[in-house]
Amino acid sequence: RGWVGDVFSGCPFVLWLLERLPLTPNGKVVRKALPEPELAQVTGTYEAPRSPTEACLAELWQTLLHLNSPVSRDAHFFELGGHSLLAMKLVAAINDTFSKNLLIKTIFSNSYLYQLAEQIDNHHSKENAWQPLVEMHSNDESIKSLPIVYTVPGAGGSSAAYQALAKALEPYAKVVVLEPKGIAGDQAPHKNWAEMLDEYTEEIQRYQPNGPYWLCGHSYGARVVFEIALRLETQNKEVNCILLDAELCGVMAEDMPEDTLSTEEKVLSVMQEFLDVTFAPFGSFSQEQAKVELIQLMTNAGLISQERGTRQVEAILEIYNIQEEISINYRAIQSIDGPLTLLYSKESFSQESLIKVHESHGKLSQKGFSCYPVEGTHVSMLRPQHVHSIASSVRDLIHANSIGAIME
């Protein structure tokens, strides 16, 4: 596993040897007929739950992860096959089962079953207070010295968007997400752009007093990280800025078709692609119908709790509205000293648009602008099946930077 992890960004947690693969008459693998590996083969010695909370949580994991074997109390959620979508479902299930109000960040920092059970037992509402920075890894000594990549989700997104990237970057870098305020529906979101940027910048420096800083933003988040880069550089900090499928000068706006969809339909569209489902053609829903469909979709998928689902969806819609307006009106004016890199989806950027982006963005960095294609669409590029492409590019950039520092 160590060698595979060094060669590939995604590493299987268990290798299962079969005498033969179950095949259809056409020679295709029948995935549903593949046997589930025994958990003892995956996690080593099985350790039974020690409390009612651990026992209940183990059953939730077994159901959610489709495991045939009981889950050990020292099992790790993401190493058993968990990912961002399943983490969202797990939080909703925990909140409904235990009548709690846990946030998804709890799963990322408490990924072992016994850790999460302890958090559930000791959880208090005050612990739900918004925290600007969300660590996407469990507390582990082995990652404390790694470079930190600060990431910002796209409009309406949360820290869950970067779980796959965090896993793919191990053991090369640590991912910390700048979480949108109010995304869980528990408080009002940021409405003052400058105050939000100042708060994020202060939190980053509190977390990491000295550079180099790696900032990475998807879509709307690209605008945020560029502005934070400018603020950090005024304090003579070394910054590297990565844009995920976004441009900062509005050069592609004139080529975009007229936008006639409501916020509710846009978020519903993103969620449908995220869940790989389709419904009626867009434009056929009223705002209220689209909102009802969105709540129903996320509830049926287990992404939101029964009790707080409507409030969570309303928070997502409000934040999406605010952030999309910023994205539409944003135009970068100043340049940064550090390098600026665009990782783009070929679906989003044509060759003609790339020429325009090169001409405009070359003026935004004193050390130069570069761009590289990555796999997936605007939405799917951060999903597990495509994210290794982004992770590989980020690793290469970090490695090149470290080599350059040594040469200097």
Side-chain angles (χ1 to χ4, degrees):
R1 289 188 74 242
W3 178 82
V4 174
D6 287 338
V7 177
F8 300 103
S9 59
C11 178
F13 190 70
V14 62
L15 299 177
W16 193 253
L17 182 63
L18 302 177
E19 291 186 7
R20 63 178 65 86
L21 291 171
L23 302 175
T24 67
N26 295 328
K28 295 184 177 180
V29 176
V30 183
R31 294 182 179 272
K32 292 184 178 180
L34 291 170
E36 290 282 352
E38 292 298 318
L39 195 64
Q41 297 272 350
V42 180
T43 61
T45 305
Y46 170 76
E47 187 175 351
R50 297 179 184 176
S51 70
T53 301
E54 287 187 5
C56 185
L57 193 57
E59 291 182 6
L60 283 178
W61 285 27
Q62 189 173 356
T63 301
L64 195 60
L65 299 171
H66 303 290
L67 300 171
N68 290 332
S69 304
V71 179
S72 176
R73 70 182 300 270
D74 61 356
H76 189 285
F77 182 73
F78 296 109
E79 290 181 351
L80 286 183
H83 48 70
S84 57
L85 179 59
L86 289 175
M88 293 171 70
K89 292 184 177 184
L90 178 59
V91 170
I94 288 172
N95 289 337
D96 284 337
T97 302
F98 295 97
S99 298
K100 298 291 183 179
N101 188 19
L102 260 64
L103 303 180
I104 195 168
K105 65 181 181 182
T106 310
I107 309 294
F108 300 135
S109 56
N110 300 275
S111 302
Y112 290 97
L113 189 141
Y114 70 88
Q115 290 179 330
L116 189 54
E118 184 178 348
Q119 289 295 313
I120 293 171
D121 286 337
N122 299 325
H123 178 261
H124 302 287
S125 59
K126 65 179 182 179
E127 294 171 3
N128 276 346
W130 171 73
Q131 295 177 351
L133 305 185
V134 175
E135 295 177 314
M136 300 300 290
H137 308 267
S138 296
N139 294 325
D140 191 331
E141 291 293 329
S142 64
I143 67 171
K144 286 188 175 179
S145 61
L146 296 178
I148 302 170
V149 180
Y150 297 93
T151 58
V152 181
S158 71
S159 52
Y162 283 104
Q163 186 276 325
L165 180 61
K167 188 173 181 180
L169 280 175
E170 294 179 347
Y172 303 96
K174 173 182 176 180
V175 172
V176 173
V177 181
L178 279 60
E179 187 81 301
K181 187 176 184 180
I183 194 66
D186 52 354
Q187 54 191 304
H190 278 120
K191 293 183 179 179
N192 186 300
W193 171 247
E195 287 181 5
M196 181 199 74
L197 294 171
D198 290 340
E199 186 168 6
Y200 280 147
T201 304
E202 290 173 9
E203 288 296 327
I204 288 174
Q205 290 185 277
R206 185 176 293 115
Y207 189 84
Q208 179 189 345
N210 300 304
Y213 295 94
W214 290 90
L215 307 178
C216 177
H218 179 233
S219 193
Y220 153 82
R223 284 83 172 170
V224 177
V225 297
F226 187 78
E227 288 296 318
I228 292 175
L230 289 170
R231 282 163 167 75
L232 288 171
E233 286 190 345
T234 61
Q235 301 178 48
N236 299 316
K237 305 294 185 181
E238 179 186 345
V239 183
N240 300 268
C241 196
I242 302 172
L243 317 176
L244 297 182
D245 218 39
E247 57 95 4
L248 305 174
C249 299
V251 295
M252 294 173 62
E254 58 192 43
D255 299 327
M256 298 292 288
E258 183 182 357
D259 189 358
T260 59
L261 296 181
S262 66
T263 297
E264 289 78 4
E265 286 183 296
K266 292 173 189 174
V267 176
L268 178 60
S269 172
V270 171
M271 191 55 63
Q272 287 179 358
E273 183 172 353
F274 184 66
L275 295 172
D276 195 24
V277 296
T278 54
F279 285 112
F282 291 105
S284 61
F285 289 124
S286 68
Q287 281 185 264
E288 189 57 34
Q289 286 174 327
K291 179 181 174 180
V292 171
E293 289 284 349
L294 180 61
I295 293 171
Q296 191 66 45
L297 174 64
M298 295 183 71
T299 301
N300 291 343
L303 301 182
I304 53 178
S305 65
Q306 296 284 346
E307 182 182 347
R308 302 176 62 251
T310 300
R311 186 168 51 175
Q312 288 176 287
V313 168
E314 288 174 347
I316 292 170
L317 293 172
E318 182 181 9
I319 290 173
Y320 183 94
N321 242 337
I322 294 170
Q323 295 178 341
E324 186 191 37
E325 184 176 356
I326 289 171
S327 295
I328 292 172
N329 297 321
Y330 180 85
R331 299 292 184 271
I333 301 173
Q334 297 175 268
S335 65
I336 59 173
D337 295 329
L340 182 63
T341 305
L342 167 66
L343 304 180
Y344 67 93
S345 162
K346 291 182 179 179
E347 180 186 80
S348 303
F349 288 79
S350 65
Q351 287 301 314
E352 182 180 353
S353 63
L354 282 174
I355 293 173
K356 293 181 180 179
V357 170
H358 259 292
E359 291 175 350
S360 58
H361 287 56
K363 305 171 184 177
L364 295 180
S365 169
Q366 300 299 317
K367 288 192 176 179
F369 171 73
S370 56
C371 57
Y372 307 97
V374 293
E375 296 179 10
T377 65
H378 183 75
V379 173
S380 70
M381 64 194 310
L382 284 167
R383 296 296 304 278
Q385 64 267 37
H386 297 305
V387 77
H388 64 86
S389 181
I390 294 176
S392 178
S393 296
V394 173
R395 287 201 306 267
D396 289 346
L397 290 169
I398 292 174
H399 179 70
N401 180 265
S402 63
I403 294 297
I406 292 172
M407 294 298 290
E408 291 176 0

